[in-house]
């Protein structure tokens, strides 16, 4: 799955008010639902160590059981974990996911997620266009130097033939 596919799935989740649903359960965690670390790890198909790593990165902030100290993941934590799982599968780094999760928690909703994904998509587009322009300029330069056959490069105003 590409980053664009992930962004599209996440955009769909934003419109629905949650991260993309996992097969076999309701798409939005109920406000009274709580899971242990093992239950949430099983639900997402990740390890408990992964969830602890996401907690260290600031993506998750589960409550602790007062007596045992065990993590208790409520609805907002489950939402954040589902979002983190989706974005990690798309190759997003933990620090970006942490920023988005923090914005969602402080804003109290997914509007921040939508804005972050829009910004991410815009930056990827700008970077991609710049790389394509640089490749065209490099191909012209290499053709001028005669390093490679000129017929392998697209000249300004010409179209590529397959």
């Amino acid at each position: 799955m590409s980053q664009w596919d992930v962004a599209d799935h996440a955009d769909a989740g934003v419109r629905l008010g949650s991260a993309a649903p996992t097969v076999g359960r309701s798409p939005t965690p109920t406000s009274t639902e709580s899971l242990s670390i093992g239950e949430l790890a099983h639900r997402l198909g990740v390890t408990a160590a992964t969830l602890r790593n996401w907690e260290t990165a600031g993506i998750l902030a589960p409550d602790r059981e007062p007596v045992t100290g065990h993590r208790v993941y409520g609805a907002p934590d489950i939402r954040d974990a589902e979002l983190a799982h989706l974005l990690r599968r798309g190759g997003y780094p933990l620090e970006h996911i942490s920023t988005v999760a923090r914005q969602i928690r402080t804003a109290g909703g997914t509007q921040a997620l939508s804005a972050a994904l829009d910004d991410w998509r815009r930056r990827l587009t700008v970077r991609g266009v710049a790389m394509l322009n640089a490749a065209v300029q490099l191909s012209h330069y290499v053709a001028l130097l005669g390093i490679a056959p000129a017929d392998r490069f697209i000249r300004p105003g010409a179209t590529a033939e397959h």
Side-chain angles (χ1 to χ4, degrees):
M1 182 178 289
S2 73
Q3 288 181 343
W4 292 113
D5 293 335
V6 170
D8 290 341
H9 287 299
D11 285 343
V14 169
R15 286 191 296 273
L16 296 173
S18 70
T22 302
V23 176
R25 65 164 186 81
S26 64
T28 306
T30 63
S31 59
T32 58
E33 183 177 21
S34 65
L35 300 173
S36 70
I37 192 167
E39 292 167 333
L40 182 56
H42 178 72
R43 183 177 191 160
L44 296 175
V46 300
T47 64
T50 296
L51 295 176
R52 287 190 289 272
N53 189 30
W54 292 353
E55 183 179 351
T56 301
I59 296 167
L60 301 177
D63 291 330
R64 297 289 184 138
E65 191 67 42
V67 175
T68 63
H70 293 168
R71 292 167 177 84
V72 177
Y73 295 90
D77 302 308
I78 295 167
R79 176 203 60 211
D80 294 347
E82 290 171 343
L83 174 63
H85 185 245
L86 180 69
L87 294 176
R88 285 299 291 156
R89 286 181 48 204
Y92 287 84
L94 289 178
E95 55 272 9
H96 288 213
I97 298 170
S98 176
T99 300
V100 171
R102 230 181 355 267
Q103 289 173 344
I104 290 171
R105 281 193 298 270
T106 58
T110 55
Q111 289 302 99
L113 170 61
S114 180
L117 289 173
D118 288 344
D119 182 56
W120 183 263
R121 183 177 291 134
R122 183 193 56 75
R123 288 185 293 155
L124 285 175
T125 300
V126 167
R127 185 184 312 159
V129 169
M131 291 171 71
L132 289 170
N133 287 334
V136 168
Q137 295 299 318
L138 180 61
S139 72
H140 293 154
Y141 180 71
V142 169
L144 288 173
L145 292 176
I147 295 173
D151 62 346
R152 299 197 64 195
F153 298 98
I154 300 173
R155 302 217 185 316
T159 59
E161 294 187 23
H162 300 287

